[in-house]
Each structure stands twice: as C-alpha cells, then as structure tokens.
Amino acid sequence: MTKKKSHTDPRILRTRQLIKEAFVELLEEMDFQKITVNRLAERATINRVTFYLHYRDIPDMLEKMANDMIDDISTIFNNAPINQTSSDEISWKIIEDLLEYIAENSKLYKSLLASKRVTIFRDRLTLFLRESIVTKIEEKGKSSHILTEVVKEDILIWYETSALIGTIISWLHNDMPYTPSFLAQQFALLHHRGLNKKS
C-alpha cells in the first residue's frame, strides 16, 4: 500500500477519495442499481470525463476499491512485529491493528462490508482472512487439540472466518461500542476457550 500510494500523484489520490466518498454517500441514500456515473460525478464534484480517467465503469471502480482495501489490510498483516515470543500474541495484535484500521474508516466499511447489494468487499475480506487462517493452521500443523481430536480443519476455517467477519459487521452496525483493543481481546478469549475445551 505505502509504496504504491507514495508514487501516485496526490491529485489522483484526492480525486479517487472524492469518488469513494461520493459512492458511500449514495449507497446510504439509494439502491445500488440507481447509482450511475453521472450521479457519482455530480456528488464528487467532478465531471464524467474525470471519472473515466480513473475507472472504466462502476464495476471497475468497485474492483479497484476492493483491491485498495486488501492492499491496506495486507500491509497491516505484513507489518506484524517479529520480535514477539508468542505467535498468538502476534495474531491478536494483528487483529487489533485491523480493527483500528476499520474504526478509522468506519463510515466506509459500515456501508461497504454490510451491503447486501455490493458483496465484493465482504467477499474479498472473507477470502483474505480465510487464507490468513489457513496459513496460521499450516504453520501450527496438527499440534492443536481442536484439530487433532475435535473439529475438522475445513470446519474450523469456515467457523473462524465467519465469526470474525460477522462480529466486525455487527460491531460497526452497533456504532463500535467497544474499542479495537477490547474487541481483539474478546476474540482471543473466545478463540482460546474453543481451543482448550476438552471433548
């Protein structure tokens, strides 16, 4: 994320931000199908030509916005501290950083992640988190009690991914009543309770 954006003209970033903000506002006001390039351009205080300098059409805009989201989140995961003694400490610090990022962009994600008409953002985040969970399971191997004796690996992946996404969306819908740090701690407690529970 940082490298890509540091080499992008600030005027381009500003225009894309205006378009993104206009899209979120319109999505809150009307059905997705009613959002047109004309309406986006008007709300963003740009002209149609400027929109088409950045995006081919609205689906292309959504694709690039989703890519930007995953780039941002990938940076959070890639910047995890490497000097921690516990891999679980690192994991939950990453979740806390992810929640901090979402909180800082809460208006955007409250609209996009929960939208039933525009699922690309939730789908992309779900896929990204699923792949991260798979990587963590592969790193741990079969040492976990929950995998060796209780739960099938694919079911564990489905469960943890869905629980994380669902809780984040509910947290946003309820106007983030808990801090990112507290919510990450709650995730960790629930996770360890599940892993340590005997059959």
Side-chain angles (χ1 to χ4, degrees), residues 3-188:
K3 286 186 178 179
K4 182 172 75 172
K5 290 189 176 177
S6 64
H7 290 89
T8 303
D9 188 319
R11 291 171 297 180
I12 292 175
L13 294 176
R14 175 60 180 159
T15 300
R16 290 178 181 170
Q17 183 64 26
L18 287 171
I19 294 170
K20 182 190 296 183
E21 290 171 358
F23 176 69
V24 170
E25 289 177 6
L26 290 173
L27 194 60
E28 292 174 345
E29 296 172 10
M30 63 184 67
D31 291 338
F32 171 65
Q33 292 85 349
K34 294 181 179 178
I35 298 176
T36 63
V37 171
N38 279 340
R39 280 184 165 144
L40 270 173
E42 181 180 354
R43 182 63 62 93
T45 64
I46 61 174
N47 57 49
R48 283 172 54 91
V49 173
T50 301
F51 178 91
Y52 288 119
L53 287 174
H54 295 271
Y55 308 110
R56 289 192 308 272
D57 49 26
I58 289 179
D60 181 56
M61 178 195 72
L62 294 177
E63 184 78 20
K64 288 177 177 172
M65 284 173 61
N67 289 343
D68 288 343
M69 175 189 73
I70 295 303
D71 286 344
D72 288 349
I73 293 172
S74 294
T75 298
I76 292 168
F77 277 62
N78 292 335
N79 287 343
I82 58 175
N83 58 347
Q84 301 244 22
T85 56
S86 165
S87 62
D88 280 340
E89 286 178 12
I90 294 172
S91 297
W92 299 112
K93 179 63 172 71
I94 292 173
I95 296 300
E96 181 179 341
D97 290 345
L98 171 63
L99 293 170
E100 289 278 7
Y101 162 74
I102 291 174
E104 289 167 6
N105 300 277
S106 59
K107 182 178 179 181
L108 174 69
Y109 288 111
K110 187 173 183 178
S111 295
L112 298 184
L113 289 180
S115 174
K116 295 179 180 179
R117 298 287 187 179
V118 186
T119 62
I120 185 172
F121 299 96
R122 185 172 65 251
D123 292 345
R124 285 287 185 83
L125 182 56
T126 298
L127 179 60
F128 178 86
L129 292 175
R130 182 183 300 134
E131 290 173 348
S132 299
I133 290 168
V134 167
T135 299
K136 183 168 177 58
I137 288 174
E138 288 174 349
E139 288 172 355
K140 282 192 167 185
K142 297 294 183 181
S143 61
S144 170
H145 170 80
I146 198 169
L147 285 180
T148 55
E149 297 182 31
V150 183
V151 177
K152 298 286 288 181
E153 182 175 319
D154 55 352
I155 296 174
L156 176 62
I157 293 165
W158 298 339
Y159 173 80
E160 292 209 345
T161 305
S162 299
L164 193 53
I165 291 287
T167 303
I168 289 171
I169 291 173
S170 294
W171 178 59
L172 287 168
H173 270 314
N174 286 280
D175 297 321
M176 300 177 296
Y178 307 109
T179 65
S181 176
F182 181 80
L183 189 56
Q185 291 170 18
Q186 293 288 293
F187 275 132

